[in-house]
Amino acid sequence: MPRSIETFNYASYHNLDEIYDFMDLLVGENSKLVSKIQIGKSYEGRPINVLKFSTGGSNRPAIWIDTGIHSREWVTQASGVYFAKKILEGYGKDASLTSILDNFDIFLEIVTNPDGFAFTHSKNRMWRKTRSQNSGSSCVGVDPNRNWDAGFGEAGSSGNPCTETYRGPYPNSEPEVKAIVDFVKSHGNIKAFISIHSYSQLLLYPYGYTSKKAADQAELDALAQKAVEALTSLHGTKYKYGSIITTIYQASGGTIDWTYEQGIKYSYTFELRDTGRYGFMLPASQIIPTAEETWLALMVIMEHTRDHPY
Amino acid sequence: TETFVGHQVLRIFAADEFQVEKVKELEALEHLQLDFWRHPIHSEFPIDVRVPFDSLQGVKVFLESNGIRYSIMIEDLQSLVDEEKLFMSRQHF
């Protein structure tokens, strides 16, 4: 392992141990700005770790970013690692990021599905779900992006444990989901929630389970447009944006529908880049370009959150 | 360890909603063990699906007989997995 975050290879994919070591390294070198919080344990007992970037204060308004809830989407976890370094490097140098951190805490969950991620590195590169056992079925795992208490069980998820979009037996049945739910509720002051997936080149906002429009649709749409423009400006990567149900498909029990219904207005989900050639097997050479273009869009959303208190 | 030797990822271009529905029929056939990376939604979006070797012929015949256009996005998934592993081990070393 590298001895500092400077020598860490951000242009390569890393396994769970390496990413968790990186998080410790980050905290060890910068304990005034970043700390590690364990918000729960996965089904198989792995710690669920979140990085907290904070310049002080208590229960400040916060921005949440998570990457890799679908374990096989490796470019998202790799982007999460890059974001951590970017936040650290930017504080005190980048005026806009500094002002965000002077007013908000940022929570970053780099490996949202640790069991699934470990499984992709050891047994099945294409694993997407959690690793929980399903009573009465030999099929393993729940789609953690169908397991939230927002339209749970409605169209756009499956009741069959053997499918990739199995919703689970009940909302929050997955400890990986429950940990975030408990954290968000207990925190109570999260103002933006951004959940990052790959790949389809989309920036989406609620809703997914219903065709009703979000109350803040106009603002969410305008902000999405601005974020996508920033993203595209770097490498020309084309994104579409809109509500989940109108842009891709009906999906019930999804993360940002739940966060939006909890009152987190700026709830977004990304689908990162896809060249149309590799899908989940995006070559490591594309990690940095993907992460750096996504960072620009994240900054737009974070700046807007800072400038539009509610 | 699950291997993906001979698995291909097909990119399917449904021309209209009728063809999207035909691909959805494929999705429902569990014995084919298809893994949809991008699900059939509407004709504007391509569909990506990982097809195990044993199901390749059947899926391609189905698509061709229904006049549904497709291309091979990943010729052999395992070779990409192997490349990825090699790259990671080199970086680690």
Side-chain angles (χ1 to χ4, degrees):
Chain A
M1 282 298 293
R3 276 170 293 182
S4 88
I5 59 165
E6 285 306 313
T7 55
F8 187 86
N9 187 354
Y10 297 89
S12 178
Y13 290 116
H14 296 275
N15 63 29
L16 184 66
D17 289 341
E18 290 166 349
I19 292 176
Y20 275 12
D21 286 346
F22 165 80
M23 291 166 79
D24 289 336
L25 207 56
L26 199 79
V27 172
E29 288 183 18
N30 305 276
S31 56
K32 283 187 180 169
L33 182 60
V34 58
S35 56
K36 185 179 81 176
I37 304 169
Q38 185 181 334
I39 62 168
K41 277 188 174 180
S42 67
Y43 180 82
E44 292 178 340
R46 294 181 174 86
I48 299 173
N49 294 330
V50 175
L51 291 173
K52 178 184 180 183
F53 297 86
S54 178
T55 55
S58 64
N59 199 37
R60 275 187 171 174
I63 294 163
W64 171 280
I65 301 167
D66 67 74
T67 50
I69 199 169
H70 289 144
S71 47
R72 64 190 179 184
E73 300 169 355
W74 280 12
V75 75
T76 64
Q77 293 94 343
S79 297
V81 168
Y82 176 92
F83 301 152
K85 180 170 183 273
K86 199 76 185 166
I87 295 168
L88 209 61
E89 278 181 349
Y91 185 69
K93 292 177 188 159
D94 177 315
S96 183
L97 181 67
T98 302
S99 75
I100 290 168
L101 277 168
D102 283 341
N103 293 282
F104 284 77
D105 293 340
I106 299 176
F107 293 97
L108 175 62
E109 185 178 8
I110 296 176
V111 187
T112 309
N113 177 1
D115 293 348
F117 189 59
F119 200 69
T120 63
H121 278 273
S122 59
K123 299 276 170 39
N124 182 344
R125 173 66 183 86
M126 288 301 125
W127 192 259
R128 161 191 168 95
K129 299 190 282 185
T130 63
R131 290 295 302 162
S132 55
Q133 301 291 325
N134 292 307
S135 167
S137 172
S138 59
C139 294
V140 172
V142 166
D143 180 346
N145 198 31
R146 299 290 186 282
N147 190 239
W148 301 70
D149 196 6
F152 180 86
E154 294 179 18
S157 72
S158 169
N160 177 356
C162 297
T163 62
E164 296 291 346
T165 53
Y166 176 50
R167 66 179 79 102
Y170 53 87
N172 308 334
S173 63
E174 302 313 285
E176 297 82 358
V177 172
K178 180 75 162 47
I180 302 175
V181 166
D182 290 345
F183 179 79
V184 167
K185 282 183 172 174
S186 68
H187 188 283
N189 202 15
I190 293 177
K191 298 298 185 186
F193 191 108
I194 303 158
S195 187
I196 303 184
H197 296 238
S198 74
Y199 66 102
S200 289
Q201 297 177 192
L202 301 167
L203 176 54
L204 305 168
Y205 52 78
Y207 285 104
Y209 79 87
T210 172
S211 56
K212 78 178 176 190
K213 283 187 176 179
D216 304 291
Q217 157 113 5
E219 184 182 1
L220 292 173
D221 194 75
L223 178 54
Q225 181 183 2
K226 204 174 159 192
V228 163
E229 283 169 1
L231 186 152
T232 303
S233 69
L234 192 61
H235 299 295
T237 308
K238 297 273 186 280
Y239 262 56
K240 289 183 177 172
Y241 61 91
S243 71
I244 297 168
I245 195 167
T246 60
T247 309
I248 43 171
Y249 46 61
Q250 185 170 14
S252 61
T255 311
I256 62 164
D257 281 358
W258 181 80
T259 58
Y260 188 73
E261 290 190 336
Q262 292 298 303
I264 303 175
K265 190 203 296 191
Y266 301 116
S267 290
Y268 284 97
T269 187
F270 280 84
E271 292 277 355
L272 302 186
R273 72 156 65 178
D274 157 37
T275 62
R277 293 186 61 189
Y278 296 103
F280 301 118
M281 304 298 297
L282 198 66
S285 59
Q286 293 200 36
I287 293 172
I288 300 292
T290 303
E292 61 188 1
E293 69 189 10
T294 309
W295 176 251
L296 297 182
L298 285 178
M299 278 298 291
V300 169
I301 296 171
M302 291 195 292
E303 285 165 350
H304 186 92
T305 305
R306 176 197 61 199
D307 298 339
H308 296 80
Y310 66 94
Chain B
T1 301
E2 178 88 23
T3 61
F4 305 96
V5 177
H7 290 217
Q8 292 189 342
V9 180
L10 305 183
R11 172 155 281 199
I12 300 168
F13 305 92
D16 51 34
E17 292 312 305
F18 176 75
Q19 290 195 347
V20 171
E21 290 305 314
K22 294 304 285 182
V23 180
K24 282 182 180 169
E25 286 178 24
L26 268 182
E27 196 176 20
L29 299 176
E30 288 184 11
H31 68 278
L32 294 174
Q33 294 189 295
L34 303 182
D35 173 15
F36 278 83
W37 288 10
R38 296 175 62 156
H39 290 263
I41 308 156
H42 44 75
S43 52
E44 193 187 339
F45 286 94
I47 301 154
D48 295 342
V49 59
R50 175 171 62 86
V51 186
F53 179 75
D54 291 344
S55 303
L56 266 179
Q57 190 177 347
V59 169
K60 287 179 179 177
V61 166
F62 178 90
L63 294 173
E64 287 162 16
S65 61
N66 283 285
I68 301 172
R69 195 163 62 88
Y70 70 92
S71 63
I72 299 172
M73 181 171 144
I74 298 176
E75 185 80 32
D76 179 7
L77 186 61
Q78 188 58 42
S79 66
L80 272 186
V81 173
D82 292 342
E83 270 178 40
E84 194 174 62
K85 275 186 183 164
L86 188 65
F87 179 83
M88 285 175 69
S89 63
R90 278 184 184 153
Q91 292 300 313
H92 199 268
F93 182 72

